[in-house]
Amino acid sequence: MSGKVKLESDILVTLGGAPPAVSHMANADLIPAVDEVLADKYRIERVLGQGGMGIVFAAMHLNLDERVAIKFLLPELSSDPALVARFLREGRAAIKIRSEHVVKVLDVATMPGGTPYMVMEYLHGRNFEELLEVQGRLPAELAVDHLLQATEALAEAPALGMVHRDLKPANLFLAHRADGSPSVKVLDFGITKVVDPKNAAPFDVTKTSIVMGSPRYMSPEQMRSSRTIDARA
């Protein structure tokens, strides 16, 4: 896949153009260099994009001959236990949801220097923020179909004790199946609220005073308290 890739809420989305410049130099113990082999099986190919928390590389799985996307927490953030916990939680949360409409996480691990990373499926397409900018308003029938696909993914989350707190066009990704039919993917479970279904105790590294999400798309309940919301918000 060629083309510019940017990160919205630290999740990979594809656009058109050239790859962005990256301000962080690779360190063998923190971030792998291009052509380096990670975990004896992922050859790093190129930088796809960088966000406020993460940097994403395209890589080739040498044993399977399959391209993947690998997301690393930025090295300067890896010393913060709360940020590391959030990053790892994103991978664990996403991997538990079996719907085809969630970007698939294939592996979660940590570099020797302590930088966590997750291996994800390599998506072709673009997010809905870009789609709407390019195409404008979608026909009602098509918009309803896309929305129903997204709700399939979200329907599984409450049963697993998860509440996605950053739903917005940039976190909905339009990919395509092998037969060419559209497949909507829900991205960025990184600020998901995770609750233990057995005792309803939240596993949340968010302080009560911190607002998690994008204000333009947040419910009033989430604006008041990101920590106490449930699936209804």
Side-chain angles (χ1 to χ4, degrees), residues 54 62 94 106 120-122 143 153 220:
L62 299 178
L106 308 175
M120 304 176 290
E121 65 175 316
Y122 190 84

Side-chain angles (χ1 to χ4, degrees), residues 48-67:
L48 292 176
Q50 181 178 325
M53 287 185 65
I55 181 171
V56 179
F57 291 84
M60 182 63 68
H61 193 304
L62 299 178
N63 298 329
L64 302 179
D65 194 27
E66 184 77 13
R67 184 161 284 110

Side-chain angles (χ1 to χ4, degrees), residues 82-104:
L83 293 179
V84 171
R86 170 185 163 178
F87 185 94
L88 294 174
R89 187 186 63 218
E90 176 184 346
R92 297 190 189 106
I95 205 168
K96 289 179 180 178
I97 300 179
R98 303 303 181 186
S99 171
E100 69 164 304
H101 300 296
V102 172
V103 61
K104 186 179 297 182

Side-chain angles (χ1 to χ4, degrees), residues 199-219:
N199 58 25
F203 296 116
D204 195 346
V205 298
T206 307
K207 296 182 179 179
T208 304
S209 60
I210 298 176
V211 176
M212 301 295 290
S214 301
R216 184 177 179 183
Y217 300 98
M218 291 166 63
S219 66

Side-chain angles (χ1 to χ4, degrees), residues 3-229:
K4 181 179 179 181
V5 182
K6 73 174 182 178
L7 297 178
E8 295 290 353
S9 296
D10 308 310
I11 288 291
L12 183 65
V13 295
T14 61
L15 308 171
V22 176
S23 60
H24 301 271
M25 297 299 291
N27 180 302
D29 291 330
L30 298 175
I31 295 290
V34 172
D35 290 330
E36 183 179 342
V37 176
L38 174 66
D40 296 324
K41 55 185 173 181
Y42 302 112
R43 182 178 298 281
I44 303 299
E45 294 185 331
R46 65 187 184 279
V47 174
L48 292 176
Q50 181 178 325
M53 287 185 65
I55 181 171
V56 179
F57 291 84
M60 182 63 68
H61 193 304
L62 299 178
N63 298 329
L64 302 179
D65 194 27
E66 184 77 13
R67 184 161 284 110
V68 296
I70 305 181
K71 177 182 172 183
F72 296 84
L73 187 66
L74 292 176
E76 59 267 33
L77 303 179
S78 297
S79 59
D80 187 326
L83 293 179
V84 171
R86 170 185 163 178
F87 185 94
L88 294 174
R89 187 186 63 218
E90 176 184 346
R92 297 190 189 106
I95 205 168
K96 289 179 180 178
I97 300 179
R98 303 303 181 186
S99 171
E100 69 164 304
H101 300 296
V102 172
V103 61
K104 186 179 297 182
V105 175
L106 308 175
D107 196 5
V108 178
T110 304
M111 292 283 291
T115 302
Y117 66 89
M118 68 179 73
V119 182
M120 304 176 290
E121 65 175 316
Y122 190 84
L123 297 178
H124 299 261
R126 64 177 65 192
N127 71 33
F128 275 84
E129 182 176 76
E130 277 294 316
L131 186 69
L132 293 173
E133 288 179 0
V134 173
Q135 298 185 8
R137 183 179 299 177
L138 299 176
E141 183 177 352
L142 185 60
V144 169
D145 177 70
H146 291 338
L147 183 60
L148 289 174
Q149 290 189 46
T151 57
E152 284 186 33
L154 297 173
E156 289 189 42
L160 295 170
M162 303 176 194
V163 180
H164 194 302
R165 293 184 292 190
D166 198 21
L167 288 175
K168 58 185 178 181
N171 281 338
L172 297 176
F173 190 98
L174 184 60
H176 291 84
R177 303 181 181 92
D179 64 1
S181 60
S183 177
V184 175
K185 303 273 189 176
V186 176
L187 308 178
D188 200 357
F189 278 80
I191 62 172
T192 296
K193 176 184 176 183
V194 181
V195 177
D196 184 348
K198 296 180 181 179
N199 58 25
F203 296 116
D204 195 346
V205 298
T206 307
K207 296 182 179 179
T208 304
S209 60
I210 298 176
V211 176
M212 301 295 290
S214 301
R216 184 177 179 183
Y217 300 98
M218 291 166 63
S219 66
E221 294 82 3
Q222 186 175 353
M223 291 286 287
R224 284 195 293 266
S225 176
S226 296
R227 187 179 180 86
T228 59
I229 61 167

